C-alpha cells in the first residue's frame, strides 16, 4: 500500500529537514501545509517534496490537518509534526506497517514526548496512520484528535517528539477562550483540555472549576483519571489539601489504578512519615506498570524508578537496610547513572553493604 506523510508547519526551519529525512524512508508522498511561516521553512520543505501548500491560519489545528489530508493521494495517511523524529529501527517498523495494513483501518503508535537522555520517560498512544477511504477527520481546535473506529492496529513503532522551541505562551488557552466567547459549547474532551490549559497558565481556581465540571459529565476514562491528577495539582496550588487528596482518591472511581497517582499518594504519606501507608502505595504503583494501551499518558519513571527509589528511603527509615539496598539496586538497573542512586551506593558502602541482587 502507498502512504502519504502529512505535516502542518509554521516557522520550523530548524527542525523540518530532520523530520523529513526520517519520513522519506517510508513515505511514498510527503504533503507539507504551511500556516504562515516567515522563515525558510517552505524552502526547506521543497527540498523534499513539491507538494507544499498554504493554509490561512484560523485558530483551528483540526482544520489545517484535515486540509493536509485532503491534499494527499496515497491509500494511507500519516501525520507528523515538524519536530518529530523517528529512529532507523522505527522507520523500518512503519514501512512494515504499510506493507501489512490490508486488514486494518487505523494504526495507533506510541508517542514519546519527554526523555531522560535518549530514553523515553513520558509516552502515550496516538492515532497515527489511517486508511484514506475511511474518511477519517481530526476534531478539536486545539489538542486535535481522530476518534478511533474501524479495525485498529496497535504498533510499537515509536515517534519521538523532540521539541527545540516552546510554543507561543497561552496560545491554546486563547484559542479555546475565543471559541467560548463566540458561543461554542465545548465538548467533554475540549473541556478537559481547557481545564488543563488554565492549570498550566496558573489560573488554579478557574482550572479546578472546569475540571470538576468535566468530571461530572461524559468523557473517556483515561481523561477523567488525568483530570483527577490535574485537579490535585490545582487544589495543591491553592493550598486546599483536603480537596487535593479527594481528587486523587476520586481517580480510583473512574479508571484502573494509575502508577503515577499511586506514587503521589505514597509521597503524601511519606511527607507525614506514615511509612507503612507510603510503602503500600509505592508497591501498588509497581503492580500497575506501563499501561500505554489504555490510551492515557504514561510517565515511565512512576512505573519503576520512582517507587524503587522511594521504597529505598522508606526501608532505610524503617531500619531494614538490606531491603533498602535491594530497592536501590532495582532503581539502578533502570538509571545506572542517576546521581541519587550513586549517592545511595556510597551510603551503603559506608554501612558495609555492597554487591548486587539476583534478578
Amino acid at each position: 500500500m502507498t502512504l502519504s506523510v502529512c505535516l502542518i508547519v509554521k516557522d520550523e526551519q530548524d527542525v523540518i529537514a530532520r523530520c523529513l529525512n526520517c519520513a522519506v524512508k517510508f513515505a511514498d508522498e510527503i504533503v507539507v501545509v504551511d500556516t504562515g511561516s516567515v522563515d525558510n521553512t517552505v524552502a526547506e520543505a521543497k527540498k523534499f517534496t513539491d507538494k507544499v501548500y498554504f493554509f490561512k491560519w484560523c485558530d483551528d489545528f483540526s482544520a489545517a490537518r484535515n486540509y493536509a489530508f485532503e491534499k494527499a493521494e496515497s491509500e494511507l495517511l500519516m501525520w507528523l509534526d515538524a519536530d518529530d523524529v523517528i529512529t532507523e529501527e522505527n522507520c523500518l517498523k512503519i514501512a512494515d506497517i504499510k506493507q501489512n495494513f490490508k486488514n486494518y483501518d487505523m494504526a495507533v503508535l506510541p508517542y514519546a514526548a519527554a526523555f531522560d537522555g535518549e530514553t523515553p520517560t513520558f509516552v502515550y498512544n496516538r492515532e497515527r496512520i489511517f486508511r484514506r477511504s475511511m474518511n477519517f477527520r481530526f476534531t478539536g481546535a486545539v489538542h486535535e484528535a481522530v476518534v478511533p473506529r474501524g479495525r485498529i492496529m496497535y504498533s510499537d513503532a515509536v515517534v519521538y517528539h523532540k521539541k527545540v522551541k516552546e510554543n507561543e505562551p497561552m496560545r491554546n488557552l486563547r484559542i479555546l477562550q475565543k471559541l467560548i466567547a463566540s458561543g461554542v459549547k465545548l465538548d467533554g474532551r475540549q473541556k478537559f483540555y481547557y481545564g488543563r490549559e488554565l492549570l498550566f497558565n496558573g489560573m488554579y481556581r478557574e482550572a479546578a472549576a472546569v475540571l470538576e465540571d468535566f468530571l461530572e459529565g461524559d468523557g473517556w476514562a483515561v481523561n477523567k483519571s488525568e483530570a483527577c491528577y490535574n485537579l490535585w495539582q490545582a487544589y495543591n496550588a491553592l493550598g486546599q489539601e483536603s480537596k487535593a487528596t479527594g481528587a486523587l482518591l476520586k481517580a480510583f472511581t473512574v479508571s484502573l489504578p494509575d502508577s503515577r497517582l499511586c506514587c503521589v499518594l505514597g509521597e503524601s504519606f511519606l511527607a507525614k512519615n506514615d511509612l507503612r501507608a507510603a510503602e503500600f502505595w509505592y508497591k501498588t504503583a509497581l503492580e500497575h506498570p506501563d499501561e500505554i494501551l489504555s490510551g492515557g499518558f504514561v510517565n515511565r519513571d512512576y512505573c519503576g524508578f520512582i517507587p524503587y527509589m522511594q521504597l529505598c528511603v522508606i526501608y532505610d527509615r524503617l531500619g531494614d537496610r538490606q531491603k533498602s539496598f535491594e530497592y536501590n539496586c532495582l532503581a539502578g538497573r533502570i538509571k545506572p547513572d542517576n546521581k541519587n542512586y550513586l549517592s545511595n551506593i556510597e551510603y551503603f558502602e559506608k554501612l558495609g553493604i555492597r554487591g548486587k541482587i539476583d534478578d
Side-chain angles (χ1 to χ4, degrees), residues 75-352:
E75 297 166 283
L76 303 179
L77 308 177
M78 177 180 183
W79 68 273
L80 288 174
D81 284 338
D83 47 8
D84 289 339
V85 181
I86 306 173
T87 65
E88 186 69 31
E89 177 187 6
N90 287 309
C91 284
L92 292 173
K93 289 181 179 180
I94 293 172
D96 187 63
I97 290 172
K98 182 176 71 169
Q99 296 305 317
N100 294 280
F101 208 82
K102 180 179 178 181
N103 297 318
Y104 297 97
D105 301 308
M106 169 190 287
V108 174
L109 277 60
Y111 204 18
F115 305 85
D116 182 359
E118 290 301 312
T119 302
T121 57
F122 184 69
V123 185
Y124 55 100
N125 266 344
R126 280 303 309 265
E127 62 289 356
R128 180 68 64 176
I129 302 174
F130 313 91
R131 185 183 293 274
R132 187 162 68 96
S133 62
M134 290 287 288
N135 197 35
F136 286 101
R137 288 294 180 267
F138 285 89
T139 60
V142 298
H143 299 293
E144 67 281 8
V146 176
V147 176
R149 59 183 170 89
R151 300 163 297 176
I152 302 174
M153 171 196 293
Y154 289 91
S155 170
D156 64 353
V158 186
V159 177
Y160 289 4
H161 191 54
K162 291 273 194 172
K163 295 178 66 172
V164 299
K165 66 178 183 180
E166 294 301 317
N167 294 332
E168 174 192 340
M170 298 187 72
R171 178 196 66 190
N172 292 345
L173 182 59
R174 174 181 57 78
I175 292 173
L176 289 168
Q177 289 182 331
K178 179 181 175 182
L179 283 176
I180 295 169
S182 70
V184 172
K185 185 176 181 180
L186 301 183
D187 62 21
R189 187 174 183 278
Q190 289 289 287
K191 191 179 293 183
F192 163 63
Y193 279 106
Y194 180 42
R196 284 165 58 84
E197 291 295 338
L198 289 166
L199 173 71
F200 299 155
N201 285 282
M203 302 175 188
Y204 302 117
R205 293 188 188 279
E206 296 88 343
V210 171
L211 291 168
E212 291 279 17
D213 185 47
F214 165 70
L215 287 167
E216 292 301 314
D218 296 330
W220 295 346
V222 291
N223 284 350
K224 289 205 167 189
S225 178
E226 185 72 18
C228 290
Y229 174 73
N230 296 146
L231 196 55
W232 170 80
Q233 291 176 298
Y235 283 135
N236 253 347
L238 293 168
Q240 299 179 18
E241 183 179 350
S242 178
K243 286 187 174 182
T245 301
L248 285 182
L249 296 177
K250 189 170 185 175
F252 294 94
T253 70
V254 299
S255 184
L256 292 172
D258 175 285
S259 60
R260 178 181 54 184
L261 293 172
C262 292
C263 284
V264 171
L265 281 165
E267 179 62 29
S268 68
F269 283 108
L270 186 57
K272 299 173 185 176
N273 207 38
D274 188 339
L275 300 179
R276 289 303 182 186
E279 173 196 22
F280 171 84
W281 285 111
Y282 283 120
K283 285 188 173 181
T284 302
L286 292 171
E287 294 171 1
H288 299 280
D290 191 337
E291 294 290 349
I292 189 170
L293 288 181
S294 70
F297 302 131
V298 175
N299 187 324
R300 288 176 173 163
D301 281 351
Y302 288 111
C303 304
F305 181 76
I306 289 174
Y308 285 145
M309 288 297 289
Q310 296 298 72
L311 285 164
C312 169
V313 171
I314 289 167
Y315 283 114
D316 182 68
R317 292 186 186 179
L318 289 170
D320 190 338
R321 300 300 193 285
Q322 182 59 37
K323 190 170 284 190
S324 175
F325 168 77
E326 290 172 2
Y327 276 107
N328 189 60
C329 289
L330 289 170
R333 289 178 180 175
I334 300 173
K335 296 188 179 185
D337 297 322
N338 179 268
K339 64 179 182 180
N340 293 322
Y341 159 72
L342 295 173
S343 176
N344 287 344
I345 290 293
E346 295 179 4
Y347 167 74
F348 287 118
E349 286 182 344
K350 290 177 181 178
L351 295 175

Side-chain angles (χ1 to χ4, degrees), residues 6-25:
C6 304
L7 292 79
I8 61 172
V9 299
K10 180 182 178 182
D11 294 335
E12 300 287 4
Q13 66 177 17
D14 295 332
V15 293
I16 191 169
R18 184 185 68 176
C19 176
L20 296 183
N21 272 317
C22 301
V24 295
K25 296 174 183 177

Side-chain angles (χ1 to χ4, degrees), residues 35 55-64 141 174-175 178-179:
T35 63
F55 180 83
K56 186 177 180 180
W57 182 241
C58 59
D59 282 343
D60 190 328
F61 282 91
S62 284
R174 174 181 57 78
I175 292 173
K178 179 181 175 182
L179 283 176

